[in-house]
Every structure is written in structure tokens, then in C-alpha cells.
Amino acid sequence: MPRFAAWSAERARAIIDDYRDTSGALLPALHALLVEFGHIAPEAIPLLAEALTLSRADVQGVITFYHDFRTTPPGRHLVKLCRAEACQSMGSASLEDHARHHLAIGWGETTEDGEFTLEPVFCLGNCALSPAVMVDGELYGRVSPERFDAILASAGQSTAAPEQTP
């Protein structure tokens, strides 16, 4: 399960400084901040802009352009569902619907209890075993709604479906 450091401007400056003299430093610096903190805190934008001599708008534009960058902390468990064509052809749309309904969140959102963040991915490289899901960096293939529930349950939380009234 991913564990991230609490936001620290001092630590963020040190990370950014590691990339200051690198050509095209913004993307590697953003990825390094994401690895360290789990998200790009809004406070990082002026630090990046100043250190890399960019405008804040340029930094914000890159963050919002790439779906890999999130600006809020993720849940304790990061759930990525493959949305590539191979997975779609093998039924990932019904798995996506199940996941969003079951967790009661949309793409890029975190459950109220902070357990799960649901993110789309556009290829997990597991086409032969579609549909694919990655939870906390572990890849699963041939995931049905029932298997999805079991995977999340093993990640630390029961995902029993809410009771339906007839």
C-alpha cells in the first residue's frame, strides 16, 4: 500500500533543486513530488515556477494537462482501471460501472473514508488478460466485478455490495 510523506515545503524545495539544472525539468520534478507526497500540493506551484523560471500558469497547465498528476492526496489504496481498447473489448465498461457504483465515487475521487482512490489508466500492458486492474501497484488480469470486490477486500476493506430492496 502506498505511503506518502506529509507535505513539506522544505522537502519539496530539495526535490525540485535536484532537477533545477535538468533540461525539461518540470515533468521529472512533478513526478518526483508525486512519488514523495502522493500529489502535487498547490503550494508546490510557486516553488516550481520560481526554481525552474516558469510562470505559475505554465506549471498549472502541465499539472492539469496530464492525468497522472493529482492535486489532492490519494486514498490509502490507489485503484487503477484500464480503459484501453483491449480491456474495453473484454468488458471493462461494466467493470468500470461496477467500481464507480460500488465505491460511490467517480474517476479521480476518493471514498469518504479515505480508503480508495479510483483512477483511469489507458494501458496497463496486460492486454492478453483483459480487463485489467492495478491496486497499490499490483497488477490483476481477467477482473470480473466479483474478483474486483475480492481484490479490494484483500486490500483492507470489505466491499460487500449495498443491500437492494426488491
Side-chain angles (χ1 to χ4, degrees):
M1 137 181 18
R3 289 285 175 209
F4 301 106
W7 167 254
S8 160
E10 182 178 321
R11 178 68 185 126
R13 277 190 197 93
I15 290 169
I16 295 165
D17 283 345
D18 288 344
Y19 296 94
R20 183 187 298 262
D21 297 323
T22 303
S23 178
L26 182 57
L27 284 175
L30 286 168
H31 280 287
L33 291 170
L34 191 63
V35 167
E36 180 76 13
F37 302 114
H39 69 291
I40 309 300
E43 297 87 353
I45 294 171
L47 301 178
L48 287 156
E50 181 180 341
L52 304 178
T53 59
L54 299 167
S55 72
R56 290 180 185 193
D58 287 337
V59 174
Q60 181 68 35
V62 170
I63 292 169
T64 56
F65 179 79
Y66 291 102
H67 66 86
D68 285 340
F69 299 126
R70 70 182 76 78
T71 56
T72 57
R76 289 177 14 100
H77 303 285
L78 189 55
V79 179
K80 296 182 177 188
L81 271 65
C82 186
R83 302 191 74 208
E85 288 80 4
C87 284
Q88 288 180 34
S89 72
M90 297 302 292
S92 68
S94 64
L95 181 60
E96 293 170 19
D97 291 343
H98 173 79
R100 289 193 315 263
H101 172 76
H102 204 67
L103 294 171
I105 57 175
W107 296 118
E109 295 179 355
T110 300
T111 56
E112 282 187 28
D113 62 4
E115 277 294 305
F116 297 101
T117 296
L118 184 62
E119 293 188 344
V121 175
F122 297 95
C123 188
L124 288 171
N126 203 34
C127 300
L129 300 174
S130 300
V133 173
M134 183 177 281
V135 178
D136 298 337
E138 188 167 343
L139 183 61
Y140 300 89
R142 296 188 179 127
V143 179
S144 65
E146 296 78 19
R147 185 157 186 239
F148 179 82
D149 294 348
I151 292 166
L152 293 192
S154 71
Q157 177 175 323
S158 171
T159 58
E163 289 186 35
Q164 301 284 326
T165 55

